[in-house]
Amino acid sequence: MRPEEILKKRWGYDIFKPLQKEAIEAALAGRDCLVVLPTGGGKSLCYQLPAAMGKGLVLVVSPLIALMDDQVAAAREAGLAADALHSNLKSGPKREAYRNLASGRTELLYVSPERLLVGDLAEDIAGRAVLIAVDEAHCVSHWGHEFRPEYRRLAEAMDRVPKAARMALTATATPAVQEDIRVQLALREPEVFVGHPDRPNLIYRAFPRRDQFKQTLEAVRRHSGEGGIVYAQTRKDVERLAAGLKEAGISCAPYHAGLAAEERRKAQEDFVGERLDVIVATIAFGMGIDRSNVRCVVHANTPRSVEHYQQESGRAGRDGLSAECVLFFAASDLAAHRYLAKKDLMSPERERAVERQLREIGRYAVAPVCRHSLLSGHFGAPYPPVKSGRAEAPVPHFFQKGQSAGPVPDGSSVKEDNGDKYPEPEEARGCGACDVCLGETKGLPEEEARLTAKKALSAAWRTEGRFGTGYVVKLLLGKDDERMARYGHDKLQVFGLLKDAGEAAVRSWIDQLIVQDFLEVVDDRLYPLLRITDAGRALCRDEGSVRLGAPVPPKAEVKGKKKAKKAGHTLAAVLRTEDEELFERLRALRRSIADKAGIPPYVIFHDSVLIEMAASKPQTLYHLRVIKGMGGQKLEKYGRLFLDAIAGESPRKGVRS
Ligand code: ADP
Ligand code: ZN
């Protein structure tokens, strides 16, 4: 059978996603390759499909032991003879895995790197392994963000299986990491397939943080009943946010390294099993999470780097359906990261790298520029993706131009009531899926930005770097403070100069000036002090240029909120209200099957399959079979059950479909 036929028969998909076919063909021809595809790009199929060709054993090396059982379950649902070998395995499944391997039945074997490095496993499979796939291959690189020393020894183990082709897979794409992977895994003249990093189904939003809890709750509420992850910086923040959300009626649990292992395990399992909607976590959470229908990822604090942000936010919308990623930014988060980083002794080189990363994520969060284009740019890719060559952006099933991740079905795009006041920045046209392009954050016109910046900068200049941000904000707002009078600052020209803008805007502008290096926060022995930089002084002399974004004024915000809700809400965008109820019923059925089988619900069907069922209400196995993602074995195993559920309450019962 040809790969296309297997794709259809086993997985129920008609076409390959970008670069899947190329990677599969390389593997089948025995060539080494490096596959860089964003999360949700369909990396697993690149090695699972060759395993289904019946040409020999495919070995998958992955550091994510926590995920392996779910991956094995998913592969088995596609009808593959799959097993895993790792240290957490119970004795029953372990014996079975060895028995299958010995009898030659195994088609796909997941192993931890440690397991491959010890004993004779490599020699045992050398005769029949056709492909060794190394997942999360960036772990081999010091340049990446998850270096694993044991990954450096994989090449040695793979050398003992010389005939097998090697496939390295990762979502992290910087050229330095790619080169490291190639060298460290000793890839032999590999073909390199790099997909576009953009995730068109994600809506990105970044706003200045005003009220962490309130803003987080608002974002989570846009996705009530759906899966969400909230990331916060400290355990204390996690506890506080989780308690607040719970009190507000959200099904949620905290997750951080300070909790008992048992409690963490339960939270994770409940989340994956869809018995829990929202996890509030420090970054300790996520590596082991493959739930495909996470509909929002909220960063209540700023992450450490754009790479971290891409990875953490990337846990949203793996199924290709619309999902939302919101970041609430404050410059003080960057200071906290800097402080933590400095606690570890760092080389000057490392220190510079940390500074650069903080500046980059700060810029991402405050620049009034299309966030999709900023993220793509960070990873060196043009935006919008160029429609030629192999590196074409994946277009998920429900994503179409004009009806993108932020579909506003009634055509009331926020862009239209943009008013004349704020022209859209050049880059901001048309992604339709970020706060800037949706008109929720607006760039100030050049002149206004310069003037505003100069006002804020002169306040910092006048106070001679002897006060903190809070004081400078008060000065610009013209607030009474006994210190103002004491220092004679209430007599300064800058006193009350930005009074009309309001505190939130002034604070945000100062943050924006910090990340653009016009202001800096210096640590005094007692307080962090705000100081103007050389670049800031130059700007005051009209040298250089500045960008400032303005939070949407309060009146428009009410409107924006309604629209944001629509733009962020996922199901309403694809299902009519009456079908939503059926969808929920199908979801409940899926959950009960999953519970009984002890596997995660998404392994049975993705949300997209349930959505199509709810919308098209198939009445026969034949009609069910055409749904994308309905593999042959799944149809046999679950088809009847779902048809019954659909027929049970279908208003169109008895009508020809
Ligand atoms: P990654 O590992 O790159 O994050 P996955 O392998 O988890 O991505 O795949 C993401 C989703 O895309 C999965 O739900 C998978 O079933 C689906 N998928 C994979 N290949 C295809 C395809 N050719 N057509 C449609 N969906 C696909
Ligand atoms: Zn945009």
Side-chain angles (χ1 to χ4, degrees):
M1 247 198 274
R2 289 183 308 125
E4 281 85 355
E5 290 165 328
I6 294 195
L7 180 72
K8 179 71 186 162
K9 183 161 169 265
R10 294 284 185 107
W11 281 274
Y13 298 136
D14 291 318
I15 43 169
F16 284 108
K17 291 193 177 206
L19 302 176
Q20 279 182 329
K21 185 157 187 230
E22 287 81 349
I24 290 166
E25 277 172 352
L28 292 175
R31 291 193 304 272
D32 289 0
C33 67
L34 167 61
V35 181
V36 184
L37 285 176
T39 309
K43 286 186 285 297
S44 17
L45 204 99
C46 297
Y47 52 78
Q48 288 185 349
L49 197 142
M53 302 284 290
K55 301 235 161 102
L57 177 69
V58 172
L59 197 72
V60 187
V61 185
S62 166
L64 306 177
I65 297 180
L67 273 186
M68 263 185 209
D69 295 338
D70 293 349
Q71 286 170 328
V72 167
R76 286 182 183 165
E77 288 298 320
L80 280 167
D83 277 309
L85 286 177
H86 56 78
S87 52
N88 286 3
L89 213 57
K90 298 213 178 75
S91 61
K94 189 181 277 176
R95 255 199 316 274
E96 198 187 323
Y98 278 115
R99 207 177 313 125
N100 288 336
L101 194 61
S103 70
R105 197 182 153 264
T106 316
E107 294 171 312
L108 183 66
L109 182 67
Y110 286 86
V111 293
S112 57
E114 296 81 4
R115 184 62 196 83
L116 185 63
L117 292 170
V118 300
D120 304 328
L121 183 63
E123 280 78 11
D124 288 349
I125 58 162
R128 54 205 161 106
V130 288
L131 175 66
I132 302 180
V134 180
D135 209 358
E136 313 290 339
H138 59 276
C139 291
V140 83
S141 173
H142 268 306
W143 302 110
H145 46 285
E146 283 155 350
F147 177 60
R148 304 259 180 150
E150 65 278 14
Y151 257 56
R152 292 252 159 144
R153 290 167 52 214
L154 284 178
E156 206 185 293
M158 290 193 292
D159 281 345
R160 288 183 269 148
V161 196
K163 272 194 260 165
R166 298 175 190 178
M167 179 187 282
L169 305 107
T170 178
T172 306
T174 65
V177 175
Q178 282 178 40
E179 178 58 16
D180 229 8
I181 293 173
R182 203 181 58 74
V183 172
Q184 297 293 339
L185 292 180
L187 301 181
R188 300 153 297 188
E189 294 176 36
E191 292 208 51
V192 179
F193 305 113
V194 182
H196 197 282
D198 186 49
R199 302 273 315 272
N201 60 318
L202 300 188
I203 303 168
Y204 292 106
R205 293 190 160 99
F207 297 119
R209 187 167 67 238
R210 292 190 301 271
D211 181 331
Q212 191 182 46
F213 175 69
K214 195 164 151 256
Q215 288 173 293
T216 301
L217 178 63
E218 260 173 36
V220 167
R221 279 229 167 108
R222 283 200 286 272
H223 303 273
S224 75
E226 301 180 328
I229 306 176
V230 175
Y231 284 110
Q233 202 155 358
T234 64
R235 293 177 193 180
K236 228 170 78 198
D237 285 334
V238 165
E239 294 286 353
R240 189 173 49 79
L241 287 170
L245 291 177
K246 209 170 207 167
E247 206 178 297
I250 308 279
S251 136
C252 83
Y255 187 104
H256 57 72
L259 295 174
E262 177 54 28
E263 198 172 341
R264 284 209 309 261
R265 195 185 52 78
K266 181 166 181 337
Q268 174 156 335
E269 278 179 14
D270 284 350
F271 181 69
V272 173
E274 298 194 9
R275 295 178 292 276
L276 185 69
D277 287 341
V278 175
I279 288 267
V280 187
T282 52
I283 52 165
F285 179 79
M287 273 300 271
I289 289 304
D290 231 358
R291 180 169 167 177
S292 69
N293 59 355
V294 172
R295 297 270 75 92
C296 76
V297 173
V298 180
H299 278 77
N301 291 100
T302 318
R304 255 182 296 173
S305 68
V306 176
E307 279 80 9
H308 281 89
Y309 188 60
Q310 174 89 344
Q311 210 198 25
E312 288 155 19
S313 64
R315 295 184 179 123
R318 275 167 169 267
D319 52 12
L321 297 179
S322 174
E324 182 184 6
C325 308
V326 202
L327 190 167
F328 298 120
F329 172 81
S332 56
D333 294 340
L334 303 184
H337 283 306
R338 189 174 295 122
Y339 174 77
L340 285 178
K342 280 193 176 147
K343 278 211 316 206
D344 303 332
L345 282 180
M346 285 191 295
S347 62
E349 190 193 9
R350 179 88 192 105
E351 200 161 325
R352 273 196 298 277
V354 168
E355 278 308 319
R356 183 175 41 78
Q357 288 173 343
L358 292 177
R359 210 166 22 242
E360 283 165 356
I361 186 68
R363 290 213 176 111
Y364 166 80
V366 303
V369 175
C370 172
R371 316 249 176 243
H372 279 272
S373 83
L374 286 175
L375 286 175
S376 292
H378 181 86
F379 294 100
Y383 189 86
V386 190
K387 272 242 163 191
S388 67
R390 292 175 146 192
E392 204 173 292
V395 179
H397 190 41
F398 283 100
F399 176 81
Q400 270 142 26
K401 275 253 158 351
Q403 185 246 312
S404 66
V408 185
D410 57 3
S412 60
S413 156
V414 191
K415 250 183 277 158
E416 282 160 23
D417 62 15
N418 205 3
D420 292 326
K421 198 159 170 229
Y422 301 117
E424 284 203 349
E426 203 48 42
E427 299 90 321
R429 272 175 215 132
C431 95
C434 79
D435 58 313
V436 180
C437 294
L438 288 166
E440 298 162 1
T441 294
K442 291 174 181 176
L444 262 54
E446 207 179 314
E447 253 328 286
E448 197 179 329
R450 176 188 297 275
L451 211 64
T452 308
K454 279 162 80 172
K455 289 177 185 173
L457 291 174
S458 56
W461 201 341
R462 291 285 163 213
T463 48
E464 298 167 326
R466 287 169 29 229
F467 298 85
T469 304
Y471 185 85
V472 176
V473 170
K474 275 188 185 161
L475 176 61
L476 284 162
L477 293 173
K479 286 237 171 103
D480 274 337
D481 182 314
E482 54 94 16
R483 284 184 301 169
M484 276 312 150
R486 180 152 28 112
Y487 296 111
H489 287 161
D490 54 350
K491 304 283 176 326
L492 289 177
Q493 246 190 352
V494 291
F495 185 76
L497 204 55
L498 287 175
K499 199 174 186 168
D500 295 340
E503 181 171 345
V506 174
R507 270 194 177 274
S508 161
W509 285 328
I510 294 212
D511 278 355
Q512 296 178 39
L513 291 169
I514 294 172
V515 303
Q516 292 176 76
D517 290 333
F518 296 115
L519 289 172
E520 63 182 347
V521 177
V522 279
D523 257 330
D524 183 44
R525 256 158 304 163
L526 295 174
Y527 308 104
L529 304 177
L530 189 66
R531 202 157 67 186
I532 189 167
T533 63
D534 289 343
R537 274 187 274 267
L539 191 73
C540 289
R541 294 190 300 267
D542 284 330
E543 290 163 23
S545 64
V546 61
R547 275 199 133 113
L548 289 183
V552 172
K555 202 167 134 244
E557 196 170 35
V558 178
K559 242 166 49 182
K561 225 189 258 172
K562 252 199 267 152
K563 280 173 180 155
K565 192 162 184 163
K566 260 196 223 158
H569 199 286
T570 328
L571 270 184
V574 272
L575 280 182
R576 289 175 313 191
T577 323
E578 64 266 29
D579 296 339
E580 258 185 69
E581 195 219 331
L582 175 56
F583 171 78
E584 287 303 334
R585 248 181 320 117
L586 298 177
R587 209 175 140 192
L589 171 61
R590 177 180 66 176
R591 195 160 46 226
S592 83
I593 298 173
D595 275 349
K596 271 188 218 126
I599 55 178
Y602 73 84
V603 162
I604 296 176
F605 288 127
H606 285 308
D607 281 8
S608 59
V609 174
L610 300 191
I611 287 174
E612 271 205 48
M613 282 187 199
S616 68
K617 301 180 190 57
Q619 302 193 357
T620 63
L621 285 174
Y622 179 79
H623 289 107
L624 206 54
R625 147 174 264 137
V626 300
I627 290 182
K628 189 179 146 183
M630 182 65 69
Q633 178 173 304
K634 290 185 181 182
L635 186 73
E636 247 171 61
K637 254 170 107 172
Y638 309 119
R640 270 278 142 234
L641 283 172
F642 279 84
L643 282 179
D644 287 349
I646 294 165
E649 315 253 348
S650 170
R652 287 190 229 149
K653 198 174 174 187
V655 179
R656 232 166 13 108
S657 60

